[in-house]
Amino acid sequence: MTKFTTKRVGRVYVHFLPHTRFRTKDLTIRLHIPLKRENVTQMALLPYMWMNGTTSKPTTREIMMAADDLYGTVVRSSLGKRGEYHIMEVGANIPDVSALTEEPVVEKALALVCEILLNHGPNTAAFSEESVRQEVDLHRRRIEAARDDKMGYALQSCLAEVASGTASALPRLGYLEDLKSMNSKVLYEAYQSLFHSAEIHAYLVGPYADADALSERIVERLSPVLAGETAAKMRVEPLPTGQRQSFRNVTEHQDVAQAQLDLGYRTGVNFSSESYPSMLMMNGILGGFAHSKLFLNVREKHSLAYSVWSHFDAMTGSLAVMTGIEPKQYQKALDIIEEQVQAIQRGAITDDEMDFTFRGLQNQYTVLLDQPSSLTSWHYNGVLCGEHRDIEQLLQQLSCVTKDEVVAAASQLEPSTIYFLTGEEDAK
C-alpha cells in the first residue's frame, strides 16, 4: 500500500494517501485536545452543533443542500475519544467526477467543510440560544442512550475504573449534570478556546490529482485561527503498570435484563509498543473470536454467559473481559474467566488457536485496506501514539508471533478492576 505523506505548518498537519482504486475522495479534518473535567461536556457538544448552521448557511438544510449540489457530496461531523484526548472531526466524502466536469468540486467541498468548522459567530446559527437549547436536549438523550446500552455502558464503566485518576477515565459525551449550565455564551467560549490548543490533522485519501495545491488551501484556511499559538505535540501513553494500583471491585445496580460482569486489566502496551502484535494475538486467543478460550469455556462448555468477549484498547493498553450472565453465576463465571487467563499464562495454547487467531486478525486488518475512513483512522492511531504502523507490516509481524511471545503478553496482564452491573433487586 502506498504510504501517507505529511506536510506540517505549525499545528496543522496535512496527510495525503493517493489511492486510485477508490471512486470517492475522502477529506477529513480532525482536532484533538486533552480531556479535562471542567470542559469535557462543552467540548463534547461542539461537533454536533457545527452541523446546525454557519454564519452564511444558518440551517442544517442549507448545509446539506450545498453539499448535495456538489454531485452528492456527503458532509459530516463527529466526536471521538482516544486515551486522554477528545477528538472532533469534520469531513466530506466527495464523488470522483473529474471525468464528467471541470468544476472545482473538491475545492468547493473543502470550502464547505472549513465553513462548517470555522464560520461561526456568537448568538447566531448554531450558537443561537434556540439552537443551543435544542442541542443540549439532544445531548441529554445521547448520554441517556449510552447508559441504556448496558453492555457498552458496563464496558466503558469498567475501563473508566481501570483508568481511574487519569483523564482517560472521563466520558466521551461528558456529564448530564453539566448540561444545566450550558448556554450560548459558555459554548461559544469553549468553541473559541478549542483553537487555542488543538492539534489539527487533515487527511486526503483517494484519487486526488492536485493534493499539493489542496494541502496549501487547507493550511491557508486553518492557519489564521491558530495564529500566534504554539503547543507541544500531544501523544497518548499506555496506562502505567507495576505501581501498586489499588484493585477496584465495583458493583452497580440498575434495571437490567441480565447482569454484566466485566474484568479490567492494565497491560502497559499500546499501539506504539514493540509487543503490540503479541498482545493482539493474546487478546484474540483469550476472547476476541468465536474460537477463543472465553467463548468456548464460559459460554459453550459451561453455559454461564449469554455473551463473552475480550476487548483490547490500543491507546490506553487496557484489556477488558465482558460477559452477560445470570447474577447467581457471578462467582463461577469469575473463576472460569480467571482460569482462561492463567491457561494462556502457563502456555496452554494450541496450534489451532494460534492459526485461527491469526486468520481472524488477518481478515480484520485486510478489510481496512479497502476503506478510506479506516485508513485515516489507522494512520491517526500512529499520530496519537507517535509510532506509525503499516498494515501489511503488522500482518507480517502477527504471522511471526510465537506461543512464547503470547505467554509473555499474557504475563503483562495486571488485574485492575472487577465491575459488576446487576439488577436493583440484587442490591442485598
Side-chain angles (χ1 to χ4, degrees), residues 27 62 68 86-87 114 143 151 165 168 186 188-189 200 207 209 221 244 322 329 344 363 395 413:
L27 165 63
E62 288 175 83
D68 197 52
H86 239 161
I87 299 163
C114 289
I143 295 174
M151 181 181 290
S168 297
V186 167
Y188 191 72
E189 288 175 352
I200 302 182
R221 290 178 180 276
R244 295 188 179 182
M322 307 166 284
Q329 301 290 2
I344 299 177
N363 290 338
L395 290 173
L413 293 178

Side-chain angles (χ1 to χ4, degrees), residues 147-182:
R147 188 180 179 87
D148 290 339
D149 173 13
K150 300 306 181 185
M151 181 181 290
Y153 173 79
L155 172 61
Q156 294 307 316
S157 297
C158 180
L159 292 176
E161 294 293 342
V162 173
S164 180
T166 74
S168 297
L170 295 172
R172 178 179 68 93
L173 292 172
Y175 296 89
L176 275 175
E177 60 264 31
D178 293 349
L179 295 179
K180 61 181 178 295
S181 64
M182 296 297 106

Side-chain angles (χ1 to χ4, degrees), residues 338 340-349 406-407 410-413:
E338 292 176 341
Q340 307 319 305
V341 173
Q342 292 165 6
I344 299 177
Q345 290 173 336
R346 67 173 182 267
I349 305 166
V406 172
V407 170
S411 70
Q412 292 180 263
L413 293 178

Side-chain angles (χ1 to χ4, degrees), residues 298-414:
V298 179
R299 186 181 189 276
E300 296 297 292
K301 182 177 179 180
H302 293 282
S303 301
L304 293 177
Y306 302 102
S307 61
V308 56
W309 304 99
S310 63
H311 165 81
F312 176 62
D313 186 328
M315 295 292 105
T316 64
S318 302
L319 186 144
V321 173
M322 307 166 284
T323 67
I325 64 171
E326 289 286 344
K328 64 183 180 182
Q329 301 290 2
Y330 172 94
Q331 191 59 51
K332 191 172 182 181
L334 183 61
D335 291 342
I336 296 176
I337 291 168
E338 292 176 341
E339 286 173 8
Q340 307 319 305
V341 173
Q342 292 165 6
I344 299 177
Q345 290 173 336
R346 67 173 182 267
I349 305 166
T350 67
D351 290 341
D352 280 347
E353 286 174 323
M354 292 290 291
D355 183 49
F356 293 162
T357 297
F358 169 70
R359 291 185 186 185
L361 291 169
Q362 184 181 44
N363 290 338
Q364 286 183 4
Y365 290 116
T366 300
V367 167
L368 300 184
L369 296 171
D370 295 323
Q371 300 171 349
S373 60
S374 296
L375 292 173
T376 293
S377 293
W378 181 261
H379 184 271
Y380 196 57
N381 285 343
V383 165
L384 291 172
C385 292
E387 178 72 29
H388 291 289
R389 289 185 176 276
D390 182 84
I391 293 176
E392 286 96 341
Q393 183 183 27
L394 176 63
L395 290 173
Q396 177 62 32
Q397 292 170 336
L398 288 169
S399 71
C400 296
V401 171
T402 66
K403 289 182 184 179
D404 286 343
E405 289 171 331
V406 172
V407 170
S411 70
Q412 292 180 263
L413 293 178
E414 184 178 281

